[in-house]
Amino acid sequence: MKTYCEFTFDAAHSVAPYSGLHGHTFIVKLTFGGPVDEVYGWPVNLYDVENYIEEIKGKHGSGLDHGNLDLNPAIGVASLENVTKYVWKLVKDRFPGLEEVELKRGMSGSQEGCIYRGDDGAAGRSLAA
Ligand SMILES: Nc1nc2c(c(=O)[nH]1)N=C([C@H](O)[C@H](O)COP(=O)(O)OP(=O)(O)OP(=O)(O)O)CN2
Ligand SMILES: [Zn+2]
């Protein structure tokens, strides 16, 4: 069984020398697997995940939401890939059943994104549509 949830956050970033500081709405999809609860049938309680998401989004720029990703030393250069790996680390530490993080930026129909499954050798595919 794979269970997923999505969330968005608005943040600024730059990827020098290719882009200066600008903002996006980032869309994140978290997919969970592993042993399921015998009663509820789920590998993870999304209620717990949603509470944690609010925590990592933070308030007033203290987290991902409405922040400048460039200022977070744990991310490094705020490319799609580095932000995706950062989200992976945040969530995997709290929910070991995390199996995949997909991060997208831009508007539907012209989005770019990548997928990370915890293995640097895994193909992170660009979703330039
Ligand atoms: N594999 C990747 N390649 C590149 C990335 C990346 O994250 N992964 N990022 C960039 C630059 O950010 C890119 O040149 C600028 O694109 P974007 O961040 O989307 O900024 P835009 O000005 O294009 O914003 P839009 O909203 O998409 O118009 C380069 N390569
Ligand atoms: Zn950008």
Side-chain angles (χ1 to χ4, degrees), residues 29-104:
K29 180 178 177 182
L30 305 174
T31 301
F32 301 88
V36 297
D37 182 285
E38 285 179 13
V39 174
Y40 295 101
W42 63 44
V44 70
N45 184 343
L46 291 175
Y47 177 81
D48 297 332
V49 175
E50 284 159 13
N51 285 334
Y52 186 62
I53 286 169
E54 285 312 304
E55 199 179 311
I56 62 176
K57 282 177 73 169
K59 297 223 182 306
H60 315 301
S62 64
L64 285 169
D65 204 18
H66 291 86
N68 178 351
L69 301 178
D70 293 354
L71 304 180
N72 186 334
I75 294 175
V77 172
S79 62
L80 280 167
E81 291 82 356
N82 287 346
V83 178
T84 303
K85 284 180 76 172
Y86 175 69
V87 172
W88 167 274
K89 287 178 197 140
L90 283 179
V91 180
K92 187 71 174 174
D93 287 349
R94 175 72 176 70
F95 297 98
L98 179 70
E99 292 189 354
E100 180 179 286
V101 175
E102 178 176 9
L103 178 84
K104 293 189 275 194

Side-chain angles (χ1 to χ4, degrees), residues 13 15 18-19 22 24 79-81 105-106 112:
H13 82 130
V15 181
Y18 306 103
S19 63
H22 62 281
H24 295 287
S79 62
L80 280 167
E81 291 82 356
R105 69 186 181 206
E112 297 169 327

